[in-house]
């Protein structure tokens, strides 16, 4: 039985890899990987394949950087064509990107079983393009692989109770597999001239932060004023926005290119604190027990905040909180100790077992 696994961006590569491996290992399934090509730079896409053990995609749609509507439309047409030609038994999507929206619509319209991995997350903020994608994906998918209790509860509150399996998040599978290799092999700390626990890591890429100049300026100023070095591997969206702002760091902030997965995990593992607006990084910080400050008004990862390992923060108070955490070992130790919020590292297998069970029941 062939399952079409659709990816489009960096986090989907990281989190889909354990599912592709489990599809490959299961005697009843085989994966077909389709990349929409939303991320295309080597440092956001190509370089991740080898390290994650992903096969070359059977097809790349090259949708590129054309904006939400065109990315979704081109993805829909390309995935629809692939489904018609290949007749997979199921389409698997992961997360909340435009690739997820396109693949969900394509599969549902072709009456092909659609399984949504990382189902049930809600920020309850419809200004985020990702929230719109999540809601549509959850309501059109027949199989919902929900990572946590709160994701299952969110689905139930919208009347989605059939086809739901709580699996944990495959981010843990990937992180547990690769963090030991990263610790052993990566030279990223010495490359940036930083010592374990003696620096902060930052990633920013949400449009709410990058496309609002006052917010971006306040974030950059807070990072630049930190009492320890701050390594910021900048997403291309962020690099462009910082250039447009004309912000020139002259303090602690070290702007860098996006890092490979192992180098990034090593940096996250060694940091005293991470400042982010990424979804995946909030999860990985909890697994690697690094205190996390999330520069957003809301999060679809509430279990990290409830467990006390992640705090939502506004740019105006980022500087003072960052100073406390960077300099006070007890303050940051209080924000660790819950590495299992997203599961035990076997989510990929659970997803494939649930998929096979559902296909066997349907005959
Ligand atoms: C997308 C996802 C977001 C996810 C993020 C992961 C949607 C709606 N957004 O946002 O949920 O968190 O990926 O990183 O699907 N660019 C390059 N090279 C590339 C790709 C993009 O330079 O390989 C630049 C382009 O200028 C582009 C901009 O980055 O306009 C934004 O890329 P895009 O894929 O549209 O959105 P992301 O911000 O990456
Ligand atoms: N990541 C990486 N290099 C970087 C920044 C992030 O390998 O320079 C990885 C990170 O470990 C995580 C994923 O990219 O697995 C998160 O992707 P991103 O923040 O772009 O997207 P989001 O999770 O917010 O959708």
């Amino acid at each position: 039985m062939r399952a079409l696994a659709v990816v489009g961006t960096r986090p989907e590569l990281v989190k889909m890899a354990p599912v592709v491996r489990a599809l490959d290992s299961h005697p009843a399934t085989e994966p077909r990987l389709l990349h929409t090509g939303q991320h295309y730079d080597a440092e956001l896409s190509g370089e991740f394949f080898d390290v994650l053990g992903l096969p070359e995609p059977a097809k790349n749609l090259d949708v590129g950087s054309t904006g939400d509507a065109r990315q979704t439309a081109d993805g829909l047409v390309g995935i629809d064509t692939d489904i018609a030609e290949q007749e997979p038994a199921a389409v698997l999507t992961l997360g909340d990107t435009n690739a997820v929206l396109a693949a969900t619509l394509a599969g549902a319209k072709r009456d092909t079983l659609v399984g949504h991995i990382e189902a049930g997350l809600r920020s309850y903020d419809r200004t985020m393009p990702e929230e719109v994608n999540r809601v549509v994906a959850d309501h059109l998918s027949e199989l919902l692989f929900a990572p946590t209790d709160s994701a299952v509860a969110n689905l139930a509150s919208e009347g989605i109770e059939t086809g739901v399996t709580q699996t944990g998040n495959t981010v843990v599978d990937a992180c547990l597999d690769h963090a030991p290799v990263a610790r052993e092999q990566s030279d990223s700390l010495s490359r940036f001239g930083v010592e374990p626990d003696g620096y902060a890591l930052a990633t920013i890429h949400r449009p709410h932060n990058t496309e609002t100049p006052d917010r971006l300026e306040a974030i950059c100023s807070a990072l630049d004023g930190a009492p320890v070095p701050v390594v910021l591997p900048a997403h291309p969206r962020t690099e462009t926005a910082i250039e447009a702002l004309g912000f020139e760091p002259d303090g602690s902030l070290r702007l860098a290119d996006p890092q490979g997965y192992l180098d990034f995990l090593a940096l996250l593992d060694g940091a005293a604190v991470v400042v982010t607006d990424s979804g995946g990084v909030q999860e990985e910080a909890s697994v690697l027990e690094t205190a996390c400050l999330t520069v957003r008004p809301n999060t679809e990862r509430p279990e990290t905040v409830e467990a006390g390992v992640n705090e939502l923060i506004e740019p105006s108070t980022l500087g003072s909180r960052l100073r406390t955490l960077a300099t006070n070992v007890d303050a940051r130790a209080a924000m660790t100790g819950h590495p299992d919020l997203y599961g035990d590292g076997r989510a990929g297998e659970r997803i494939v077992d649930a998929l096979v069970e559902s296909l066997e029941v349907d005959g």
Side-chain angles (χ1 to χ4, degrees):
M1 179 276 283
R2 194 177 318 129
L4 181 67
V6 177
V7 293
T9 65
R10 171 170 68 185
E12 291 164 277
L13 297 175
V14 171
K15 292 176 173 180
M16 191 63 97
V19 180
V20 170
R21 196 174 58 229
L23 286 167
D24 217 14
S25 306
H26 197 291
T29 56
E30 61 171 300
R32 175 179 171 83
L33 188 63
L34 184 150
H35 195 333
T36 67
Q38 180 172 337
H39 283 179
Y40 45 85
D41 282 346
E43 56 195 9
L44 292 184
S45 177
E47 287 173 7
F48 282 73
F49 279 79
D50 260 5
V51 69
L52 292 165
L54 278 168
E56 275 298 300
K59 194 179 276 186
N60 190 318
L61 303 178
D62 293 323
V63 303
S65 298
T66 46
D68 279 26
R70 177 116 253 150
Q71 284 167 342
T72 306
D74 290 349
L76 172 56
V77 173
I79 298 164
D80 175 69
T81 304
D82 200 66
I83 294 172
E85 287 170 1
Q86 300 292 328
E87 299 183 344
V91 176
L92 293 178
T93 66
L94 191 154
D96 51 24
T97 67
N98 294 328
V100 173
L101 180 57
T104 305
L105 291 172
K109 291 270 191 177
R110 286 261 170 211
D111 198 22
T112 303
L113 184 75
V114 181
H116 184 208
I117 301 163
E118 210 177 72
L121 275 62
R122 293 289 182 275
S123 65
Y124 297 103
D125 176 358
R126 292 264 173 111
T127 65
M128 292 180 73
E130 292 85 359
E131 183 75 355
V132 176
N133 295 345
R134 288 180 200 119
V135 170
V136 175
D138 286 341
H139 282 265
L140 288 182
S141 299
E142 285 170 74
L143 298 181
L144 294 303
F145 305 112
T148 61
D149 288 341
S150 74
V152 172
N154 290 341
L155 292 171
S157 76
E158 293 174 26
I160 305 173
E161 287 175 312
T162 307
V164 178
T165 310
Q166 189 176 330
T167 58
N169 194 310
T170 58
V171 76
V172 183
D173 308 25
C175 193
L176 294 184
D177 270 358
H178 293 91
V181 188
R183 285 183 197 111
E184 203 180 298
Q185 293 183 4
S186 171
D187 65 350
S188 53
L189 272 71
S190 57
R191 221 167 4 95
F192 286 106
V194 293
E195 298 287 337
D197 282 336
Y199 68 98
L201 178 67
T203 80
I204 294 293
H205 73 279
R206 295 282 159 214
H208 182 55
N209 286 327
T210 59
E211 315 310 314
T212 316
D214 288 352
R215 279 185 79 86
L216 187 61
E217 166 97 48
I219 293 167
C220 289
S221 297
L223 299 178
D224 207 29
V228 293
V230 179
V231 179
L232 171 60
H235 187 290
R237 183 193 278 285
T238 315
E239 189 187 1
T240 308
I242 291 176
E243 270 169 28
L245 200 60
F247 187 90
E248 301 274 357
D250 60 4
S252 303
L253 183 56
R254 301 182 188 176
L255 292 173
D257 290 334
Q259 298 294 297
Y261 184 51
L262 294 182
D263 287 341
F264 187 80
L265 282 184
L267 285 167
L268 181 56
D269 190 47
V273 49
V274 62
V275 177
T276 194
D277 58 11
S278 158
V281 175
Q282 291 175 65
E283 295 160 348
E284 289 167 345
S286 72
V287 177
L288 296 175
E289 302 198 62
T290 298
C292 185
L293 297 177
T294 297
V295 194
R296 284 180 44 187
N298 50 54
T299 179
E300 57 293 306
R301 272 88 178 170
E303 40 291 285
T304 56
V305 176
E306 283 153 20
V309 299
N310 183 18
E311 289 174 13
L312 298 180
I313 194 137
E314 278 302 300
S316 55
T317 48
L318 175 60
S320 66
R321 191 63 182 136
L322 179 54
R323 178 169 293 276
T324 303
L325 291 172
T327 54
N328 183 331
V329 79
D330 293 333
R332 57 183 188 257
M335 290 184 68
T336 61
H338 295 275
D340 50 4
L341 296 173
Y342 291 100
D344 59 4
R346 295 188 46 233
E349 291 163 45
R350 280 193 201 94
I351 288 163
V352 173
D353 287 347
L355 173 67
V356 170
E357 197 178 314
S358 153
L359 287 164
E360 281 169 355
V361 169
D362 285 355

